[in-house]
Amino acid sequence: MAATEKLIEVKNLKKHYNKGTIKALDGVSVDINRGDVMVVIGPSGSGKSTLLRSLNLLEEPTDGEIIFDGVDITKKKYKSMDDATGRPVMVKVSIDEHRQKMGMVFQHFNLFPHKTIIENMILAPVQVLNMPQDEAVDKALKLLRRVGLADRAAAYPIQLSGGQKQRIAIVRALMMEPSVMLFDEPTSALDPEMVGEVLEVMKELANEGMTMVVVTHEMGFAREVGNRVLFMADGKLVEEGTPEAIFDHPQHPRLQDFLSKVL
């Protein structure tokens, strides 16, 4: 895929609370291309997580458009061509269908505590994609080997460290073969010594060409792995650019102030 092919277009996205007095998102527009590793940085309360959660409508926008793979998922229906007649028809937007193409990894791992690791991993592919169970188990074991956790397949989440759980959460999302992976501060709940093992898995995904949108406080990851960095403040996209431009040549005073505190 060409890196310039748009996968997601965000147009003038707004998310207001309390009758418009709180503007979590205030007119954000950005294109996410296939193969992008887009890292979103900014102070707490800047709208980073709200933007990320809006991409798969975990947050329902107040206004604006999110066009994912050519379909505006904020609308109830979209225009398509009928294969039989060749005429345009209105097709209902299935947000569940689109969410299947967006892997999501949260701060907390959201693993089912009463299921083993392998059961956690095969649940969605078997139930949602109708993948045969044997095939799902084979695929899960390959992914577990990839992150060095094949020996934990029969374990329960309570028996794993935080870093191991988060690596499981990542490969569980990969079981659905998503078009894009969304990471909402995936290392913020981890002990410092566990952060590296999770970032390493994310780095490998990026090197393999996975489209990723990552909200993080890990500036080293943003600089080293991202190809685009967005800086948000007060619900607005204040500045965007390459890691070099953002970290070495910040233009906006708000970004300059933020970097002076975190670097």
Side-chain angles (χ1 to χ4, degrees):
M1 291 289 183
T4 53
E5 185 185 343
K6 289 178 190 174
L7 179 62
I8 304 172
E9 297 174 72
V10 178
K11 297 182 178 181
N12 198 30
L13 199 65
K14 298 177 182 178
K15 178 64 178 178
H16 297 170
Y17 297 99
N18 200 19
K19 297 181 180 177
T21 57
I22 298 170
K23 297 180 179 178
L25 293 176
D26 193 13
V28 174
S29 298
V30 67
D31 291 340
I32 300 163
N33 301 318
R34 292 185 191 274
D36 267 348
V37 179
M38 180 178 284
V39 184
V40 188
I41 63 172
S44 295
S46 60
K48 307 184 301 293
S49 289
T50 305
L51 172 62
L52 193 79
R53 292 168 63 86
S54 295
L55 293 180
N56 63 1
L57 299 191
L58 287 178
E59 293 279 358
E60 201 165 316
T62 305
D63 198 11
E65 299 175 7
I66 300 167
I67 300 167
F68 176 59
D69 232 355
V71 175
D72 185 351
I73 61 174
T74 62
K75 300 287 189 287
K76 296 280 190 283
K77 294 183 177 181
Y78 66 98
K79 190 179 285 187
S80 184
M81 298 303 291
D82 186 284
D83 290 338
T85 65
R87 294 177 180 174
V89 292
M90 295 307 290
V91 179
K92 187 178 179 182
V93 173
S94 169
I95 186 56
D96 288 338
E97 194 177 297
H98 289 286
R99 280 187 182 138
Q100 289 171 26
K101 303 174 189 173
M102 297 186 184
M104 183 100 186
V105 178
F106 300 90
Q107 294 178 35
H108 299 284
F109 328 110
N110 297 338
L111 299 174
F112 293 110
H114 62 291
K115 291 185 178 293
T116 64
I117 297 309
I118 198 88
E119 288 169 343
N120 266 281
M121 291 184 66
I122 69 172
L123 186 65
V126 170
Q127 292 195 355
V128 179
L129 300 182
N130 297 315
M131 186 182 291
Q133 184 155 321
D134 289 351
E135 184 183 326
V137 169
D138 285 346
K139 184 172 183 176
L141 288 171
K142 283 178 188 168
L143 285 168
L144 287 172
R145 279 195 288 273
R146 174 175 168 176
V147 295
L149 292 172
D151 61 330
R152 310 302 282 154
Y156 286 88
I158 197 170
Q159 298 171 292
L160 272 57
S161 70
Q164 289 173 327
K165 288 178 191 172
Q166 195 62 295
R167 282 186 278 161
I168 295 296
I170 293 172
V171 290
R172 180 183 58 175
L174 292 175
M175 286 288 292
M176 300 294 284
E177 298 186 355
S179 302
V180 57
M181 288 284 286
L182 309 176
F183 293 88
D184 189 6
E185 300 191 21
T187 59
S188 64
L190 299 179
D191 292 333
E193 65 268 22
M194 296 176 186
V195 169
E197 65 192 51
V198 174
L199 293 180
E200 198 57 42
V201 173
M202 293 169 64
K203 206 179 294 185
E204 284 179 24
L205 282 179
N207 290 339
E208 290 166 10
M210 172 62 76
T211 308
M212 298 163 62
V213 185
V214 185
V215 171
T216 186
H217 295 292
E218 300 291 337
M219 297 300 140
F221 177 88
R223 185 190 281 269
E224 182 188 347
V225 184
N227 71 314
R228 295 171 67 193
V229 180
L230 309 187
F231 172 70
M232 292 185 66
D234 303 318
K236 295 179 183 291
L237 174 53
V238 176
E239 192 166 334
E240 69 169 300
T242 63
E244 182 186 25
I246 291 292
F247 290 107
D248 296 338
H249 310 287
Q251 301 298 307
H252 198 281
R254 190 74 194 272
L255 173 58
Q256 293 168 357
D257 179 60
F258 172 77
L259 292 176
S260 73
K261 292 171 179 169
V262 299
L263 293 181

